[in-house]
Amino acid sequence: RNSFLDKILSKKQSLTILSKKQSINNWLLTKGEAPVIIDTKKTQKSAANLRTLYFNKGYFNAITKINVLNDIKKATVTYNITKHKPFYIGDINYNIASKSVDSLLQKHKHTFPLRTGQQYNLNNFKKTVSKISYLLRNNGFYKFNEGLVSFREIDTLAKNHITPVKLVVENPKQIRGKDKAEEPLQKYTINNVNVHTDYSYTERNKKYNVSKTHHELTFFAHSKLKYRPKTIAKSIFIEPNTAYSDEKVELTRNHLRSLNNFKSIKINQQELPNNRLSTDIVLTPLKKYGIGVNTELVHSNIKQLGISGGFSFINRNLFKGAEIFKLSVQGSIFDTATNLSGDDRSEFNAHELGIDVSLEFPKFIFPFLTNILPRKTTPKTKITIGTSFQRNIGLDKQNLNGIINYKWKSSSKNSHVIELINLQFVNNLNPESYYTIYNSEFNQIRNIQPLVDPTFNLTAQNASSFIRNIANSFENTNPEEFTTLKNIENRENIITSNNIIPSFSYSFEHNSRRGLSDTKYNHFRIKASSSGNYNTFFLNERNGQKIFNDIPISQFVKLDVDFRKFWSNSPNNSLAFRTFVGIAVPTGKNKEIPFITSYFAGGSNDIRAWKTYELGPGRSNTGLEFNIGNLKLLTNLEYRFKILNSIHGALFVDAGNIWNLSNIATATEDEIFDSLESLEDVAVGTGFGVRYDFNFLVLRLDLAFKTYEPYLQTNNRWFSNYRLADSVLNIGINYPF
């Protein structure tokens, strides 16, 4: 083979081919998984582990037998397990060395997971130890550790399969000379709390020259206090003359971390005579000023190829109260999937530029309500002002927005956000290009134009005036075409009109995830918002429509519900489910929802078999470039599995659509959701994906196929375009949900 390559190619070329082949083989050798050689010792160890597993669940007499069937090159190992009758918990006796510990545990023993009458299970013993540890270490018993708890007198041979349990809590042993002496467990009380506000490794040996006391807490600094003691004190829950508590220590650490002003937070305890503790909270501040720069390549269904970049400036502790000031500038240029200019030769024909300024306070800023919530809820107030310029999808726009929101956490899993005001001004910069961008609607006008005036020279620029000047007599002769033209005119007015959107919203979020490694959890979020209904009483009205400076005020109520559930039996396999329901109901004279707050379907995080804005509304097939609605239903089911090392795969089903409500002026019968029969308009897409895990992000490729298309004929909706030529490739960063 090598000689043949040398004859038809040069020696250098043939060596290059062989080198590449060798590199591919080496890659396969390093990335593949080696075959497992059968090992009798490992087989016996597996059998022992299985017996231990069932023993820990109460099957003390469980028997495991091994059966090995040998083939020429492979062997099959079968483990046969006979469980026999399980054992149950009998009387639980307590032997507690310390009287103060015994008094506390006797009050709470009814809350222990280990109880008489339940089947023996090692997990209940472990949970009981954790419960005891929680009780003691949060009630002053600073020196307690879980190693002091043991369970004795368990009878694994009891004839009635009921074993007694003796729960023992010992005193810690101290080494004194050559002997070990018991030291009774006693409660410890906090004597004093010292807060070191500007610790650094380089100045660790220098004395603190500044000190100040606030609410029995002493604050230290090398030169001057850069933080107001009152602010830091609100995040400290360890108080002098109170019993030591692990919970208060962790709560203090989490709250100080939530200020986003400190690089390191250490809480140390020093023992004093008479069972007293001196607490030192050592804070290492982040740099007051921070600058961030980011760049990235962008690809999506809307942005074919783009370059984006951003700059951010942060000023921490702006007013010495741990406030965070942030200035962000973000811009991008890109090619769009939908041509905006009508010139196919143009490249990087779209751009965006946004500027935001925000100021975050670690408390509520509101008259008379500053201390309405407990400190442990971590209340925050954020004020944001921003503007953005787009030459993107749809018409060119300028957005101005101002937001005041309040955040707090009622528990480790539940958080709340109130947007007292989210004021947006949407200014369309290029409304005269409507029919250039929405070419499909211009084609409809062009088809009807000969019926109105065959001699009229119709262009994208004069299409608007052409519709406005149609005589009323045309409705009598061509009612269907007249309705079509008026619907187009109404849709143009909706999309090209400038809007002021003054909204108020409340959102609740529940997330049971415990760290990044947790793959079994659920996530729930609900957001209710209202625009132009409560905060526009001082505005004028024109024809029943509230206006400000001749700009209409958007009036609607909106509700979004998002639920996600994740199941996993191993780190390499998981099942993910999501369902989303959203509805926006117009409440003003103009029975329409602004484009910017409407729903759309399709895209890499939605129904992946359709491109963004391509699907809907309902069973209509409008052919419009950007389809929107005010009702959305979405469901996703995805099975995720490991293929090889950092390469993962996925199989998914996406279902959903958008609709319009019956009170929308421009909605057609095919677009309206009016009964449960409208669920027949739910589109279904299926496909598979490949992901590469870089640890800090996941690169995702999903290939999706149109499985059920509601806009086709009834007997032709399933699998009509289920082929590679009609599939949609989605490129995304991180998982779709």
Side-chain angles (χ1 to χ4, degrees):
R1 182 184 58 192
N2 294 344
S3 299
F4 176 75
L5 288 174
D6 290 342
K7 289 179 181 179
I8 62 173
L9 302 170
S10 68
K11 186 68 174 177
K12 183 178 180 180
Q13 290 174 324
S14 63
L15 288 175
T16 301
I17 293 174
L18 292 173
S19 176
K20 289 183 177 179
K21 183 178 179 181
Q22 184 179 11
S23 64
I24 293 174
N25 289 339
N26 289 337
W27 183 87
L28 291 172
L29 286 171
T30 57
K31 300 301 180 184
E33 295 182 2
V36 178
I37 307 300
I38 191 167
D39 188 328
T40 304
K41 290 183 179 179
K42 289 183 178 180
T43 304
Q44 292 173 348
K45 186 176 180 180
S46 296
N49 288 342
L50 285 169
R51 186 182 182 282
T52 300
L53 172 68
Y54 283 95
F55 185 95
N56 291 338
K57 292 185 178 182
Y59 298 97
F60 296 155
N61 299 322
I63 299 173
T64 304
K65 293 183 179 180
I66 306 170
N67 185 22
V68 181
L69 295 177
N70 292 313
D71 201 346
I72 297 175
K73 291 186 177 181
K74 293 184 179 180
T76 300
V77 181
T78 303
Y79 300 93
N80 297 306
I81 301 152
T82 304
K83 296 188 297 183
H84 292 114
K85 188 177 179 181
F87 279 64
Y88 292 85
I89 302 297
D91 294 333
I92 302 175
N93 300 310
Y94 294 84
N95 184 0
I96 300 173
S98 170
K99 292 183 178 180
S100 55
V101 171
D102 183 53
S103 176
L104 178 63
L105 296 187
Q106 290 297 335
K107 292 179 182 178
H108 295 89
K109 67 179 183 180
H110 64 280
T111 65
F112 294 168
L114 185 66
R115 298 179 183 178
T116 299
Q118 66 185 192
Q119 184 173 329
Y120 181 98
N121 192 319
L122 183 62
N123 285 334
N124 291 329
F125 287 80
K126 292 179 178 179
K127 290 178 181 178
T128 298
V129 174
S130 297
K131 179 68 175 180
I132 292 173
S133 177
Y134 176 83
L135 284 171
L136 296 180
R137 291 196 61 85
N138 285 296
N139 282 276
F141 293 93
Y142 170 70
K143 287 194 172 183
F144 173 81
N145 65 78
E146 293 186 356
L148 299 175
V149 181
S150 61
F151 299 93
R152 302 174 185 177
E153 298 182 359
I154 296 174
D155 188 358
T156 61
L157 301 175
K159 294 183 179 180
N160 59 356
H161 288 76
I162 298 176
T163 175
V165 176
K166 185 178 182 180
L167 194 158
V168 179
V169 181
E170 300 176 287
N171 285 322
K173 294 180 174 61
Q174 298 292 331
I175 298 177
R176 295 176 180 174
K178 296 182 180 180
D179 301 323
K180 287 184 178 181
E182 282 193 6
E183 181 180 330
L185 279 169
Q186 295 179 346
K187 285 187 178 182
Y188 277 74
T189 303
I190 302 298
N191 185 70
N192 59 284
V193 179
N194 301 319
V195 184
H196 307 273
T197 61
D198 58 354
Y199 173 84
S200 66
Y201 182 79
T202 57
E203 297 183 344
R204 63 190 184 280
N205 296 322
K206 291 185 178 180
K207 292 183 178 180
Y208 289 96
N209 299 317
V210 179
S211 65
K212 187 175 182 179
T213 302
H214 177 80
H215 285 186
E216 297 183 302
L217 307 178
T218 306
F219 294 82
F220 294 93
H222 286 103
S223 56
K224 65 177 181 178
L225 284 170
K226 298 178 181 179
Y227 296 88
R228 284 199 300 270
K230 180 180 178 181
T231 299
I232 305 301
K234 288 183 177 179
S235 293
I236 297 176
F237 297 84
I238 307 169
E239 300 174 355
N241 301 315
T242 61
Y244 171 84
S245 169
D246 272 357
E247 193 173 34
K248 290 183 178 180
V249 171
E250 190 61 25
L251 193 60
T252 298
R253 183 181 288 108
N254 290 337
H255 274 253
L256 288 170
R257 188 182 293 121
S258 72
L259 295 177
N260 296 319
N261 269 255
F262 302 106
K263 178 168 57 177
S264 172
I265 300 164
K266 296 181 180 179
I267 302 177
N268 304 318
Q269 307 292 342
Q270 183 180 354
E271 292 185 43
L272 302 175
N274 301 319
N275 299 326
R276 308 283 287 184
L277 293 173
S278 175
T279 302
D280 288 305
I281 301 175
V282 183
L283 306 176
T284 303
L286 289 164
K287 291 182 179 180
K288 180 174 177 59
Y289 302 107
I291 295 176
V293 179
N294 66 81
T295 59
E296 65 177 343
L297 290 175
V298 180
H299 173 83
S300 69
N301 297 113
I302 297 173
K303 303 174 182 180
Q304 293 288 71
L305 178 64
I307 303 171
S308 73
F311 167 84
S312 63
F313 168 77
I314 294 179
N315 184 345
R316 299 181 181 89
N317 195 35
L318 181 63
F319 304 122
K320 296 187 177 181
E323 303 88 358
I324 298 177
F325 171 85
K326 186 174 183 180
L327 169 67
S328 301
V329 180
Q330 190 77 23
S332 62
I333 57 174
F334 48 88
D335 284 330
T336 56
T338 301
N339 193 2
L340 304 182
S341 64
D343 182 5
D344 292 333
R345 294 172 296 176
S346 61
E347 296 181 356
F348 292 97
N349 55 348
H351 60 264
E352 296 179 357
L353 178 64
I355 302 173
D356 289 300
V357 177
S358 66
L359 183 59
E360 184 177 271
F361 300 87
K363 59 182 178 181
F364 274 3
I365 305 295
F366 196 85
F368 312 112
L369 296 178
T370 302
N371 299 315
I372 189 173
L373 290 175
R375 291 185 297 149
K376 66 180 182 179
T377 60
T378 321
K380 290 186 178 184
T381 302
K382 189 173 184 179
I383 302 171
T384 305
I385 299 175
T387 183
S388 65
F389 302 87
Q390 300 179 355
R391 190 173 188 272
N392 195 342
I393 63 169
L395 303 175
D396 303 343
K397 296 181 184 296
Q398 177 189 8
N399 287 5
L400 297 172
N401 66 282
I403 303 172
I404 301 176
N405 69 23
Y406 302 93
K407 299 180 181 179
W408 72 95
K409 299 190 72 172
S410 56
S411 70
S412 60
K413 298 178 181 179
N414 300 331
S415 59
H416 310 257
V417 178
I418 289 179
E419 286 188 349
L420 183 65
I421 182 66
N422 184 338
L423 181 62
Q424 296 184 72
F425 169 55
V426 182
N427 182 26
N428 292 292
L429 303 176
N430 194 20
E432 64 275 5
S433 298
Y434 179 83
Y435 290 108
T436 300
I437 297 168
Y438 288 81
N439 191 256
S440 56
E441 296 203 347
F442 176 72
N443 290 335
Q444 291 186 58
I445 301 173
R446 186 164 53 188
N447 292 335
I448 300 174
Q449 176 251 323
L451 300 177
V452 180
D453 184 357
T455 62
F456 187 83
N457 183 23
L458 183 68
T459 65
Q461 285 69 38
N462 62 22
S464 296
S465 61
F466 170 76
I467 297 177
R468 285 197 300 269
N469 296 325
I470 292 177
N472 292 332
S473 59
F474 183 70
E475 181 179 9
N476 299 327
T477 57
N478 301 84
E480 185 175 340
E481 288 78 6
F482 181 83
T483 301
T484 299
L485 291 175
K486 287 302 177 182
N487 282 342
I488 292 174
E489 182 183 25
N490 289 337
R491 196 152 42 234
E492 178 195 0
N493 291 334
I494 294 167
I495 295 179
T496 61
S497 294
N498 298 331
N499 296 101
I500 295 178
I501 309 173
S503 64
F504 166 88
S505 69
Y506 165 76
S507 61
F508 167 78
E509 183 174 339
H510 170 84
N511 191 342
S512 64
R513 190 173 192 180
R514 295 169 294 180
L516 296 176
S517 60
D518 188 4
T519 55
K520 292 195 296 184
Y521 65 97
N522 57 71
H523 176 273
F524 173 77
R525 183 175 184 270
I526 183 170
K527 181 178 181 180
S529 56
S530 171
S531 172
N533 297 309
Y534 80 99
N535 48 11
T536 57
F537 58 88
F538 56 89
L539 298 176
N540 298 324
E541 289 192 8
R542 183 172 61 195
N543 298 325
Q545 173 73 45
K546 293 183 179 182
I547 61 172
F548 176 78
N549 198 23
D550 291 333
I551 301 173
I553 304 297
S554 297
Q555 293 179 261
F556 60 85
V557 291
K558 190 176 182 181
L559 180 67
D560 294 337
V561 180
D562 190 347
F563 174 75
R564 305 174 189 189
K565 178 72 175 178
F566 300 86
W567 298 268
S568 177
N569 290 324
S570 73
N572 298 326
N573 297 275
S574 64
L575 186 65
F577 170 80
R578 172 178 65 172
T579 186
F580 173 86
V581 179
I583 183 171
V585 181
T587 57
K589 176 72 173 179
N590 183 10
K591 297 296 183 181
E592 295 291 348
I593 303 297
F595 182 90
I596 195 172
T597 57
S598 298
Y599 299 105
F600 65 88
S604 61
N605 295 326
D606 204 270
I607 307 175
R608 285 163 275 189
W610 281 265
K611 294 181 179 180
T612 308
Y613 288 98
E614 184 180 24
L615 179 62
R619 61 178 177 273
S620 66
N621 192 11
T622 64
L624 295 177
E625 286 75 8
F626 307 106
N627 295 289
I628 56 176
N630 56 356
L631 172 65
K632 181 173 183 177
L633 301 178
L634 173 66
T635 297
N636 309 86
L637 184 66
E638 183 170 291
Y639 174 61
R640 300 165 181 170
F641 54 92
K642 183 177 180 179
I643 297 177
L644 186 66
N645 292 334
S646 297
I647 302 175
H648 299 258
L651 301 173
F652 59 83
V653 178
D654 303 327
N657 207 336
I658 56 172
W659 290 265
N660 280 314
L661 300 179
S662 57
N663 61 348
I664 301 301
T666 60
T668 64
E669 183 179 349
D670 290 343
E671 299 176 2
I672 294 175
F673 189 100
D674 54 5
S675 67
L676 291 178
E677 293 181 359
S678 297
L679 292 177
E680 295 178 359
D681 302 336
V682 170
V684 180
T686 56
F688 60 90
V690 178
R691 293 92 163 85
Y692 191 89
D693 190 351
F694 289 95
N695 291 326
F696 59 92
L697 61 84
V698 175
L699 178 64
R700 173 168 54 91
L701 297 176
D702 288 328
L703 189 64
F705 298 85
K706 296 178 178 64
T707 307
Y708 178 82
E709 301 173 73
Y711 43 78
L712 299 179
Q713 296 295 326
T714 304
N715 58 352
N716 202 33
R717 293 177 176 176
W718 286 98
F719 302 104
S720 291
N721 296 297
Y722 200 88
R723 46 183 175 265
L724 189 61
D726 297 309
S727 64
V728 176
L729 178 64
N730 296 273
I731 301 176
I733 301 296
N734 294 329
Y735 290 102
F737 58 94

